[in-house]
Amino acid sequence: MRLYGPSSAPADKVPQHLAAKYEAEAGHFWELFYQRNADKFFKDRHYFDKEWPQLLQGQLTVLEVGCGVGNSIYPLLDINPQLRVYACDFSATAVQLVQQHPEYAGGRVEAFVADITQTQLAQQLPGPCVDYCSMVFVLSAVAPEKMPQALQNIASVLKPGTGRVLFRDYAEGDLAQTRLEGSSNGVKFIRKNFYVRGDGTCCYYYTEEVLAALFASQGFVVESMLVHARTVENRRSGLKMPRRWIQAVFRYAPSEVSAGQIRSTDWEAAGGSSQQQQQQQQQELEQRQQQQ
């Protein structure tokens, strides 16, 4: 059930050739982000044990995709010293910062550069060994038509039947989406619920229907899902900011998902972009590159 009405998309869109560039070069824009900000932008995340207490249960293997500079990894290792963590990110700069952390030398973390839509995770990890994969504000940075591919990649290293994805990401109607739609710094809208920020990084805003259909199309069952809505107030200015995010747990169990659910068309019908549109954007980009 939709808990928030569909967004009214602005009439102006990012030109197709630019949209294709942002999507094709997502890793490049995130590398630039971490070259500028290093470990000064995101705060450490100390809520994992409260939101997902299963991570405290003894010897576990965790994969964190989009690990950034380790804002989740090291707080988590502090509360469960028996964890083994694999961590990957678009950005070589971010991964280098993870490796420079004093706790990295302990051998419980292995960090590597990876684009989860291209890099084969099964070649980086010793088989399907992952108990939990954390995806915290990560999948939204991927072009919608590449999201199924990213989930296939993650599924290849999860323990069949028991491996789970711990998910948190932007929900439709979040303040940031509203600001992107009304941006005075140029057009940010690529297509429904998918935008580009001023620094070239992209973001998608999910509904429950879209997210459930996306994961089901790749053989995941929903164990829990909830849209969180909170008004954050800046006490100094008195500004109230409505924030929305969606949190879920998915278990990889393709044998438990009906054949009718495992179809990419379900995801596309629920709001995902078509492959044809992506191909058209890519062709435009290639043509412009040849002309330069």
Side-chain angles (χ1 to χ4, degrees):
M1 181 179 69
R2 186 184 297 273
L3 296 184
Y4 194 88
S7 63
S8 54
D12 295 329
K13 292 185 179 182
V14 172
Q16 286 192 345
H17 71 280
L18 287 179
K21 177 181 178 67
Y22 293 132
E23 294 174 28
E25 300 179 16
H28 168 70
F29 288 108
W30 279 105
E31 172 62 14
L32 293 178
F33 173 89
Y34 282 108
Q35 286 179 7
R36 287 191 305 271
N37 297 291
D39 59 355
K40 304 297 191 295
F41 192 85
F42 297 113
K43 296 179 180 179
D44 282 353
R45 294 164 174 158
H46 293 282
Y47 56 77
F48 271 44
D49 56 328
K50 300 178 181 63
E51 300 295 338
W52 297 303
Q54 53 267 56
L55 291 173
L56 306 181
Q57 297 172 2
Q59 296 181 355
L60 297 170
T61 298
V62 173
L63 167 66
E64 181 168 38
V65 295
C67 65
V69 299
N71 298 102
S72 302
I73 297 170
Y74 294 112
L76 191 55
L77 287 175
D78 287 342
I79 57 178
N80 186 351
Q82 298 183 71
L83 287 181
R84 168 66 171 162
V85 178
Y86 294 92
C88 63
D89 198 276
F90 266 144
S91 168
T93 296
V95 169
Q96 185 178 29
L97 289 168
V98 171
Q99 294 169 341
Q100 291 172 353
H101 193 282
E103 290 188 45
Y104 191 81
R108 291 191 293 153
V109 180
E110 182 175 334
F112 55 95
V113 177
D115 177 347
I116 58 172
T117 68
Q118 297 182 23
T119 307
Q120 295 301 309
L121 294 175
Q123 296 177 4
Q124 302 289 331
L125 276 68
C129 62
V130 174
D131 296 292
Y132 294 101
C133 172
S134 63
M135 302 186 75
V136 178
F137 298 102
V138 171
L139 195 59
S140 57
V142 174
E145 49 283 320
K146 294 182 180 180
M147 291 179 188
Q149 184 178 345
L151 294 183
Q152 288 176 21
N153 201 3
I154 289 167
S156 71
V157 295
L158 288 173
K159 291 181 178 179
T162 61
R164 290 169 169 82
V165 171
L166 308 178
F167 183 93
R168 178 185 277 208
D169 219 320
Y170 300 107
E172 185 184 71
D174 181 63
L175 173 66
Q177 180 182 16
T178 305
R179 287 177 171 173
L180 287 167
E181 288 186 349
S183 174
S184 59
N185 297 318
V187 178
K188 306 297 184 185
F189 177 77
I190 297 178
R191 54 188 173 275
K192 180 176 170 56
N193 283 354
F194 192 53
Y195 305 81
V196 60
R197 302 183 184 95
D199 62 2
T201 60
C202 294
C203 48
Y204 187 90
Y205 294 83
Y206 293 95
T207 64
E208 290 173 291
E209 295 93 334
V210 164
L211 191 61
L214 170 60
F215 273 83
S217 74
Q218 303 308 313
F220 288 85
V221 296
V222 180
E223 291 196 328
S224 64
M225 184 185 298
L226 181 65
V227 172
H228 293 260
R230 179 179 301 171
T231 299
V232 179
E233 184 174 358
N234 185 319
R235 294 181 180 178
R236 180 176 297 178
S237 65
L239 179 66
K240 294 184 178 180
M241 299 171 286
R243 305 312 308 262
R244 295 174 58 84
W245 67 93
I246 189 165
Q247 186 164 308
V249 176
F250 301 94
R251 181 167 54 87
Y252 183 57
S255 62
E256 298 179 29
V257 181
S258 66
Q261 287 181 282
I262 307 180
R263 295 191 315 227
S264 61
T265 51
D266 290 340
W267 150 239
E268 291 170 2
S273 180
S274 69
Q275 189 69 22
Q276 182 179 3
Q277 183 181 27
Q278 170 68 7
Q279 290 172 349
Q280 181 181 357
Q281 291 176 346
Q282 186 62 35
Q283 287 170 1
E284 274 199 27
L285 175 61
E286 292 172 356
Q287 289 171 359
R288 285 177 176 266
Q289 289 173 337
Q290 291 171 2
Q291 292 169 0
Q292 293 176 350

